[in-house]
Amino acid sequence: FAQIDVLVISFIQDAEFVGRYSAISRLLLIASTFGSLSASAVLPTASRVFANAARQRFDEIFNGALRVIFSIGVTAALGFVVLARWIMLTIYGDVFADLYPFLQVGAVYLVFKFAVSVLAMVLTSSGQQEDRARGILIGLFFTVVFVLLLVPRFGISGAVAALILSEFVLLSCFIFTLRAHLDWRVLAQTLLSL
């Protein structure tokens, strides 16, 4: 599912375009796995607290994890913005060096992806896998729609925008599902401080 955008793009663009876009998306996907790993570390504790403790305690752990992982996501995104040119040169060489601005813009994806990883963990630990699956399917649908609408018109920048927008849709689905567990005041403070 993580590469559905590349699959759809391969039907509407040539191999060179797909290769250039894949160079960007692959780096972003690799960086985003750290958010998933971090959230996975919290999953057993969150599941145990959800099963054995009061809802307030579960919400505290959830909101704390969201703040931490979201902060890491913002840090990772800023790191990608600063190091984008060096990353492209080091990993892919001069041929792909001109793609670094797209990697910088795509860094926004990391912020959303890190937050999604925590929300997905909360949905799993609280027994809401059906809601998680529904959100993923909605995200996949919008990925295809965004790719088909934006890539033919805007090229690689459209592909990067589709990647970011589809992750934002998934984030929105998860937030809507977990809205009762969110501490909106703390989340707003985190966003403002970041």
Side-chain angles (χ1 to χ4, degrees):
F1 288 164
Q3 294 280 291
I4 192 75
D5 53 342
V6 175
L7 181 63
V8 174
I9 289 170
S10 68
F11 287 116
I12 60 175
Q13 294 290 336
D14 60 25
E16 180 184 354
F17 183 97
V18 173
R20 290 172 64 79
Y21 169 69
S22 295
I24 298 162
S25 69
R26 197 173 298 121
L27 289 172
L28 293 171
L29 288 172
I30 290 168
S32 71
T33 59
F34 292 107
S36 300
L37 290 172
S38 302
S40 296
V42 181
L43 181 59
T45 302
S47 297
R48 191 170 57 253
V49 169
F50 181 79
N52 299 322
R55 177 180 163 166
Q56 181 181 3
R57 180 68 183 133
F58 177 77
D59 289 352
E60 286 173 10
I61 290 175
F62 160 49
N63 284 287
L66 181 60
R67 289 183 76 183
V68 170
I69 300 296
F70 193 72
S71 301
I72 294 170
V74 169
T75 305
L78 290 174
F80 259 67
V81 169
V82 172
L83 299 173
R85 183 172 170 75
W86 178 83
I87 291 170
M88 293 304 288
L89 281 169
T90 303
I91 295 175
Y92 294 113
D94 293 333
V95 177
F96 289 90
D98 62 320
L99 296 176
Y100 83 90
F102 299 111
L103 186 59
Q104 288 176 318
V105 171
V108 174
Y109 166 82
L110 295 177
V111 177
F112 297 148
K113 187 67 175 178
F114 274 61
V116 161
S117 66
V118 173
L119 298 175
M121 175 273 300
V122 171
L123 287 168
T124 300
S125 65
S126 61
Q128 298 180 66
Q129 292 91 334
E130 183 179 328
D131 294 321
R132 179 180 177 176
R134 185 181 305 112
I136 290 171
L137 290 175
I138 291 169
L140 284 171
F141 171 77
F142 276 97
T143 299
V144 173
V145 170
F146 290 140
V147 165
L148 293 175
L149 289 175
L150 299 175
V151 171
R153 186 169 185 162
F154 300 106
I156 290 182
S157 50
V160 172
L163 179 72
I164 294 168
L165 290 171
S166 62
E167 199 64 26
F168 178 75
V169 167
L170 180 57
L171 178 64
S172 300
C173 290
F174 285 177
I175 285 176
F176 180 77
T177 301
L178 293 168
R179 64 192 179 281
H181 293 280
L182 283 168
D183 185 335
W184 294 99
R185 182 185 56 80
V186 170
L187 185 59
Q189 286 176 345
T190 303
L191 291 173
L192 288 172
S193 64
L194 289 170

